[in-house]
Structure formats: C-alpha cells, structure tokens
C-alpha cells in the first residue's frame, strides 16, 4: 500500500529534550515536506526537500532541523523543544513540487511541557 | 494579502443541499489547484485537483477554476453528514525559492440532518 508513515502518533516531552519525528514514504517520491498545523493558522510549511541531500526552509523553520540521507526518509528534529512547538505535525510527499500526488502521513501530535 | 484565502466558516447546509466552498489566491501564474478534506484530528486527504479553467466533476464533487479572477471553488452536491469536515484549498505558488504548495486555513463545513 502506498503510504507516508510517521512515528510517533503522539508525543509528550519536556522543554529542552531533543526529539526526532520520523517520516518514511514507499512511493519513490522525490519531494517531501514537513508542516505544522495550529488552530486558526492552517498548515504552515517547516522544511522541504526536493531530493536526497537537498533541503530548504519553509515558512516557519526556526527551532527545527531536517535531513534527507535516503530518498524514502525525511526525519524532523527538534534539538531543544519549547512549548510554542506544541502542535500537530504532518509529513507529506509528492511526485513533484507542483503538488501532484501529494500524500500526507497520519500526523504526530506533539506536546512540549 | 494572504497567498490563499478561505472563509473559515462554519458553513452550515442541510442534508441533500449543495455546499459551495470558495478560495481566492494571489499569484497570477499559479497552475495547480487542489482541494483537501480533513476530518478533525486526521490528515488532509486529496479529493480534487484542477489545472485549467472551467469545471471538473468527480462524483458529487465539482471543482471550478477561474484564473482571470484568481478564484477556485468546490461544490458538493447532495451533501451528507459524512461530508462534515474542514476543506483546505491548496495552490501552487511561485515564490523566490521556486514553486511551493500553499494551503488556505480551511473552511469548516457542517451538514445538518
């Protein structure tokens, strides 16, 4: 089954404790992206990657890191999480940056206390 | 001006009626337009894509695009309670960094019995 897999689904952590949210896709998509979704603000792009070893900042990159060492994986790293990073996070992948075939993962609800 | 604008709603329609959801965008050269449905706490799901002016029909859904007016809409015929969700408009926007899929904040639709 074609899918984007995110883990974990739910995560509660404390301020300053490094964490990684994993994302993997099995569709051989070149383009992958991370979003956060907050009430009233919609989906905001954090980082995106157009291919292996090619990443770039989205609209809200502060406090986040990503890497793209393999085509299928695109982890999101929070080196020192803060409460304002409490949000619902989605990973997505597509055939191209134009948005065709855009598929979202199931989401990760992160709470930083 | 926001790049992609939607009325947040809620839009309430009776069961069996036509629901009309609207979206405007700022970039005149946008070529790709998408409608996603998102149930509460779930990931967005692509329901329609449209790339040229006019109407595109798929079952009970019709997407309408007017590039001259920078306007895209989604009509849902014979609305059902299961259609109650938030509908996200997404537009491929050309930015300084290249193409980017940009989402509106979504319109909440409530279909009442």
């Amino acid at each position: 089954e074609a899918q984007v897999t995110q883990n974990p689904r739910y995560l509660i952590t404390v301020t300053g404790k490094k964490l990684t949210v994993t994302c993997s896709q099995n569709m051989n998509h070149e383009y992958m992206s991370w979003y956060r979704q907050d009430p009233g603000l919609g989906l905001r792009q954090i980082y995106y990657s157009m291919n292996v070893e090619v990443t770039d900042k989205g609209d809200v990159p502060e406090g986040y890191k990503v890497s793209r060492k393999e085509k299928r994986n695109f982890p999101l790293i929070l080196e020192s999480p803060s409460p304002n990073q409490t949000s619902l996070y989605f990973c997505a992948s597509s055939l191209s940056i134009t948005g065709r075939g855009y598929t979202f993962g199931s989401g990760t609800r992160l709470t930083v206390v | 001006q926001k790049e992609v604008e939607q009325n947040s709603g809620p839009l309430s329609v009776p069961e069996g009626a036509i629901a009309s959801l609207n979206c405007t965008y700022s970039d005149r050269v946008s070529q790709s337009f998408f409608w996603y449905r998102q149930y509460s706490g779930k990931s967005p799901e692509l329901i329609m894509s449209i790339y040229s002016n006019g109407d595109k029909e798929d079952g009970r859904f019709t997407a309408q695009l007017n590039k001259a007016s920078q306007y895209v809409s989604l009509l849902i015929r014979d609305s059902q309670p299961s259609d109650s969700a938030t509908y996200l408009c997404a537009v491929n926007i050309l930015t300084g960094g290249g193409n980017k899929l940009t989402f509106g904040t979504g319109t909440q639709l409530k279909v009442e019995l």
Side-chain angles (χ1 to χ4, degrees), chain A residues 34-106:
Chain A
W34 275 103
Y35 292 86
R36 61 177 290 173
Q37 188 174 38
D38 303 288
L41 297 177
L43 281 164
R44 294 181 292 168
Q45 191 179 51
I46 303 170
Y47 269 94
Y48 64 94
S49 169
M50 297 182 69
N51 213 325
V52 175
E53 302 293 359
V54 180
T55 63
D56 208 346
K57 297 177 181 179
D59 298 317
V60 288
E62 294 78 20
Y64 304 94
K65 284 176 58 177
V66 293
S67 67
R68 188 91 181 272
K69 293 184 172 62
E70 305 166 281
K71 196 171 188 178
R72 63 184 291 124
N73 295 323
F74 190 44
L76 179 69
I77 303 157
L78 284 73
E79 294 268 358
S80 183
S82 62
N84 64 11
Q85 291 178 298
T86 292
S87 186
L88 179 58
Y89 291 86
F90 290 105
C91 179
S93 74
S94 71
L95 290 165
S96 74
I97 198 170
T98 60
R100 294 183 187 230
Y102 221 67
T103 303
F104 284 86
S106 300

Side-chain angles (χ1 to χ4, degrees), chain B residues 20 23 37 43 45-46 61 66 72-73 80-81 85 96 105:
Chain B
S20 177
C23 172
R37 178 177 61 201
S43 59
E45 171 194 13
L46 179 66
F61 298 100
N66 184 326
V72 58
S73 65
Q80 301 297 310
T105 54

